[in-house]
Amino acid sequence: SSRPPIGASRSRTFSWDHLLGQSNYNPQISVGGASTLPANVGSGFRRGSTSSSASTGSRRGSTSSTTSRQSSTTSMKSALSQPQYSNTLPRAKGGATKQVGPIRVQPPFINGSITIVVPVEDCAEYEFEVKFMAPRSKEVGKVSRIRLLSLADVPGYVPPPLTSVMSITWGTSGKPIYGVKTSSGVNAACLPAYFEAYDAYTHRLENEVTWLGREGNRVTSLVSNTQNQLTSSQEELLRKAGCVCTSPHLNFSSTDASLNKKYGNIMGHYQFQGMHAEHPFYKLMDHGQPVSSSSSSRPSITTPRPVPAQFLFWDKPHKQWIFAPTLGSDSGVEFGSVKPSLAKCPGDPPARDNWQYKTSVMRRWKKNVALKVTCEIRRN
């Protein structure tokens, strides 16, 4: 392996494999702790693939084994274009071919992977060859054409901002003079590689934003479809239970101002939860209707309304529908249907205008046509 490419890269790592839509894809190219983005980038040879080698000596020290993994170039999902920026800018021509090494690593190999540190020059491209030798300097294996990735092909590289790399001064003629800040870690010869890496990084971020947007829409659609399927199943269950109102959603309200003021916290949206005493029962739910609290000089602020425990269910001993804080118990009941109720379900026509409340002093039932339990019909 070799040290990471030059440049004052921010200390962050990225994993881009989710852009492929393959949960089991795990490319084994690592640079600075980041896994590669498999894409056909660069020119002259296939990028996005590599071979990693590990040698282990036996007790006798006479054998060695090689483990290699290769991740082939894989196209991303449609609409996610692949970054292809490496070697697109011109470089200085000429220069001699230099050889690095050989660098030898001797057993014993304690860890599962072997690290070979190679002193490379900034922005230069290298081709490595790894040989596996027996104890008596006999070659037993070889892996050739291992390429050091260009900076633009290293997905874990986060380039520093342009303002921290480039400098601008003004000469006597009034024309700008562009230079490179020595503190940035990027030298002038590496500017083509830096600019290519910057474009590649921006490209990957754009792919990430596109993927996140589509993934959000997919999850939202999945939740919506699941909710629709649940509602359809509940409607079928209520239909088989003999309900005229097969909607799993009911609304409990009143046009009586005094009742609204005193009991408004237990009025609102009731949602079907299941069966009790061979009848459906419902629970008070937050229906996404926040309460407004505001002052005369400030804009209104919406806060979620606290939802107390409240159930609407069939009270079999009294043959009526009641609202109570505990399912199956008439303790704390404040509202109920006129008994005996002929409504199979609380949203059915026989229950319409047949609701009552308990008085504060004598705790007796008193009918009030201002109380309404309405069936919320789903509109497709």
Side-chain angles (χ1 to χ4, degrees), residues 129-184:
E129 183 178 74
V130 179
K131 293 182 179 181
F132 301 90
M133 313 299 292
R136 296 182 180 180
S137 300
K138 180 182 178 181
E139 183 179 319
V140 295
K142 180 172 63 176
V143 180
S144 301
R145 297 185 61 81
I146 302 175
R147 299 278 185 148
L148 176 62
L149 296 175
S150 298
L151 204 57
D153 295 344
V154 181
Y157 177 72
V158 183
L162 284 170
T163 52
S164 67
V165 174
M166 302 299 298
S167 64
I168 303 177
T169 56
W170 300 89
T172 56
S173 63
K175 294 182 179 180
I177 301 173
Y178 298 93
V180 180
K181 296 180 180 179
T182 56
S183 60
S184 67

Side-chain angles (χ1 to χ4, degrees), residues 74-196:
T74 307
S75 60
M76 293 189 298
K77 297 177 70 175
S78 58
L80 296 180
S81 57
Q82 304 171 7
Q84 299 183 22
Y85 298 96
S86 61
N87 299 316
T88 55
L89 294 177
R91 264 68 166 176
K93 296 181 179 180
T97 301
K98 297 181 180 180
Q99 181 174 343
V100 179
I103 298 174
R104 296 178 175 84
V105 179
Q106 302 290 343
F109 303 114
I110 301 175
N111 298 323
S113 60
I114 302 170
T115 301
I116 305 175
V117 180
V118 181
V120 298
E121 294 184 3
D122 294 339
C123 308
E125 292 198 12
Y126 290 83
E127 182 177 293
F128 299 103
E129 183 178 74
V130 179
K131 293 182 179 181
F132 301 90
M133 313 299 292
R136 296 182 180 180
S137 300
K138 180 182 178 181
E139 183 179 319
V140 295
K142 180 172 63 176
V143 180
S144 301
R145 297 185 61 81
I146 302 175
R147 299 278 185 148
L148 176 62
L149 296 175
S150 298
L151 204 57
D153 295 344
V154 181
Y157 177 72
V158 183
L162 284 170
T163 52
S164 67
V165 174
M166 302 299 298
S167 64
I168 303 177
T169 56
W170 300 89
T172 56
S173 63
K175 294 182 179 180
I177 301 173
Y178 298 93
V180 180
K181 296 180 180 179
T182 56
S183 60
S184 67
V186 179
N187 58 46
C190 291
L191 280 182
Y194 165 74
F195 289 137
E196 292 167 356

Side-chain angles (χ1 to χ4, degrees), residues 287-304:
H287 205 19
Q289 297 176 344
V291 199
S292 296
S293 59
S294 61
S295 62
S296 57
S297 59
R298 296 180 181 180
S300 61
I301 300 175
T302 58
T303 55

Side-chain angles (χ1 to χ4, degrees), residues 9-325:
S9 174
R10 304 170 197 171
S11 57
R12 296 177 62 189
T13 58
F14 291 87
S15 177
W16 309 90
D17 55 302
H18 59 278
L19 298 180
L20 293 171
Q22 299 179 14
S23 59
N24 61 347
Y25 192 82
N26 185 24
Q28 296 298 315
I29 307 173
S30 59
V31 180
S35 58
T36 63
L37 173 66
N40 188 12
V41 291
S43 60
F45 58 92
R46 187 171 63 180
R47 306 282 185 174
S49 63
T50 188
S51 298
S52 59
S53 304
S55 298
T56 57
S58 67
R59 292 182 181 177
R60 297 180 181 178
S62 60
T63 60
S64 64
S65 61
T66 303
T67 303
S68 65
R69 297 175 183 174
Q70 184 175 30
S71 59
S72 59
T73 301
T74 307
S75 60
M76 293 189 298
K77 297 177 70 175
S78 58
L80 296 180
S81 57
Q82 304 171 7
Q84 299 183 22
Y85 298 96
S86 61
N87 299 316
T88 55
L89 294 177
R91 264 68 166 176
K93 296 181 179 180
T97 301
K98 297 181 180 180
Q99 181 174 343
V100 179
I103 298 174
R104 296 178 175 84
V105 179
Q106 302 290 343
F109 303 114
I110 301 175
N111 298 323
S113 60
I114 302 170
T115 301
I116 305 175
V117 180
V118 181
V120 298
E121 294 184 3
D122 294 339
C123 308
E125 292 198 12
Y126 290 83
E127 182 177 293
F128 299 103
E129 183 178 74
V130 179
K131 293 182 179 181
F132 301 90
M133 313 299 292
R136 296 182 180 180
S137 300
K138 180 182 178 181
E139 183 179 319
V140 295
K142 180 172 63 176
V143 180
S144 301
R145 297 185 61 81
I146 302 175
R147 299 278 185 148
L148 176 62
L149 296 175
S150 298
L151 204 57
D153 295 344
V154 181
Y157 177 72
V158 183
L162 284 170
T163 52
S164 67
V165 174
M166 302 299 298
S167 64
I168 303 177
T169 56
W170 300 89
T172 56
S173 63
K175 294 182 179 180
I177 301 173
Y178 298 93
V180 180
K181 296 180 180 179
T182 56
S183 60
S184 67
V186 179
N187 58 46
C190 291
L191 280 182
Y194 165 74
F195 289 137
E196 292 167 356
Y198 199 97
D199 284 351
Y201 172 72
T202 305
H203 194 127
R204 292 186 180 100
L205 287 184
E206 291 175 352
N207 281 345
E208 175 78 358
V209 171
T210 301
W211 183 86
L212 287 175
R214 293 194 172 192
E215 184 68 5
N217 293 336
R218 186 189 69 82
V219 172
T220 301
S221 176
L222 180 62
V223 171
S224 178
N225 291 337
T226 303
Q227 185 61 44
N228 289 336
Q229 292 174 7
L230 175 61
T231 300
S232 299
S233 300
Q234 291 175 335
E235 289 175 347
E236 183 63 25
L237 179 58
L238 291 171
R239 186 177 294 106
K240 290 184 177 181
C243 298
V244 176
C245 170
T246 59
S247 172
H249 306 282
L250 301 176
N251 188 66
F252 179 40
S253 62
S254 174
T255 56
D256 189 316
S258 61
L259 291 178
N260 280 332
K261 183 177 180 180
K262 188 174 182 179
Y263 300 108
N265 64 324
I266 63 173
M267 294 184 180
H269 174 240
Y270 282 76
Q271 186 168 337
F272 171 69
Q273 300 294 303
M275 302 297 290
H276 169 76
E278 300 178 356
H279 289 71
F281 76 94
Y282 304 76
K283 183 180 180 181
L284 178 63
M285 305 291 286
D286 180 12
H287 205 19
Q289 297 176 344
V291 199
S292 296
S293 59
S294 61
S295 62
S296 57
S297 59
R298 296 180 181 180
S300 61
I301 300 175
T302 58
T303 55
R305 183 185 70 176
V307 180
Q310 195 71 198
F311 296 89
L312 169 58
F313 60 93
W314 177 251
D315 182 15
K316 190 174 182 179
H318 300 97
K319 294 181 174 56
Q320 66 175 153
W321 293 95
I322 63 173
F323 292 85

